[in-house]
Amino acid sequence: EAGVAQSPRYKIIEKRQSVAFWCNPISGHATLYWYQQILGQGPKLLIQFQNNGVVDDSQLPKDRFSAERLKGVDSTLKIQPAKLEDSAVYLCASSFGGGLWETQYFGPGTRLLVL
Amino acid sequence: KQEVTQIPAALSVPEGENLVLNCSFTDSAIYNLQWFRQDPGKGLTSLLLIQSSQREQTSGRLNASLDKSSGRSTLYIAASQPGDSATYLCAVNADNDMRFGAGTRLTVKP
């Protein structure tokens, strides 16, 4: 079974530039999550999708972050414009149904450095 | 707001030693607790999931316990191996909001 795919793996940009990350979840998984993991901290949930609908985006900085999952499969997360404090690893995860009892499978992450 | 703390932040042990990693949380109204492993440059791998009604879960050399009333969980690793070197994170699930600790970075020396 193929795992969660993310690209790019690394990205370096200057502040105020825009950047986009892509995630392809495990086939058949209805729920997709984006997390931000700042160095030395645990991941923080940014947004959760159930199919193509948003379940929770309460911790997404909506003035600069946006995410979509138009066809209920792969997803993109965008930052525009980027700030220095956005430097982090952005992790994508998926689960079959999205219930609290279900295991989330994580991708390798995209490491973003904002200069 | 749920706060999750993991102590110690880093741990180095010789191969073969048994060890315990600690996780504490401030709000005992949780649905479940998970322990994850994170290798450098990689995503998280789920190790054990304990439902709020359970006291412990075991998988191979790993045993996780949960004491909801005191807001604590421990991950016990028996007979540690160099391949166990990684960062271990605990995450608490409540109301569909999963909160992670900052992790314990474990190094097992041959």
Side-chain angles (χ1 to χ4, degrees):
Chain A
E1 177 182 80
V4 176
Q6 290 188 248
S7 68
R9 293 295 311 276
Y10 305 92
K11 190 74 177 179
I12 301 174
I13 62 172
E14 295 187 349
K15 60 182 179 183
R16 291 188 289 274
Q17 285 187 323
S18 302
V19 64
F21 313 128
W22 174 83
C23 172
N24 192 5
I26 292 173
S27 177
H29 280 194
T31 305
L32 185 147
Y33 310 79
W34 282 103
Y35 290 87
Q36 179 193 57
Q37 186 176 22
I38 293 172
L39 187 65
Q41 300 181 17
K44 181 184 80 173
L45 179 68
L46 294 176
I47 189 167
Q48 176 184 346
F49 291 95
Q50 181 85 11
N51 296 309
N52 61 352
V54 175
V55 174
D56 181 4
D57 63 357
S58 56
Q59 299 192 87
L60 186 74
K62 298 181 186 62
D63 57 333
R64 298 182 301 106
F65 286 64
S66 64
E68 59 184 16
R69 194 185 184 201
L70 293 176
K71 296 182 179 179
V73 180
D74 55 353
S75 174
T76 55
L77 176 69
K78 296 179 182 178
I79 308 175
Q80 181 179 10
K83 293 185 175 181
L84 297 177
E85 58 261 36
D86 298 332
S87 295
V89 176
Y90 290 85
L91 296 164
C92 179
S94 70
S95 65
F96 182 73
L100 294 178
W101 58 90
E102 297 195 44
T103 297
Q104 294 183 25
Y105 296 86
F106 283 78
T110 295
R111 188 174 300 274
L112 173 67
L113 179 61
V114 182
L115 302 175
Chain B
K1 178 185 168 184
Q2 180 75 268
E3 301 279 345
V4 182
T5 304
Q6 290 188 246
I7 295 173
L11 180 65
S12 181
V13 300
E15 181 177 4
E17 192 163 296
N18 302 326
L19 58 101
V20 174
L21 306 180
N22 297 293
C23 172
S24 61
F25 47 95
T26 54
D27 187 346
S28 61
I30 66 170
Y31 189 82
N32 58 40
L33 183 146
Q34 279 188 273
W35 282 93
F36 291 87
R37 169 184 174 140
Q38 185 172 31
D39 293 281
K42 296 187 178 180
L44 282 66
T45 301
S46 180
L47 298 173
L48 290 164
L49 186 153
I50 311 177
Q51 301 294 347
S52 62
S53 58
Q54 297 175 315
R55 296 284 293 183
E56 65 179 320
Q57 280 283 353
T58 299
S59 176
R61 294 182 295 107
L62 306 179
N63 176 276
S65 69
L66 174 64
D67 184 343
K68 254 189 17 170
S69 60
S70 66
R72 293 181 189 175
S73 176
T74 61
L75 179 66
Y76 174 83
I77 302 177
S80 58
Q81 303 170 357
D84 295 330
S85 298
T87 297
Y88 292 80
L89 297 106
C90 70
V92 172
N93 236 332
D95 292 331
N96 216 31
D97 178 17
M98 191 151 75
R99 300 272 173 165
F100 284 83
T104 294
R105 189 173 69 252
L106 173 67
T107 302
V108 181
K109 296 176 287 187

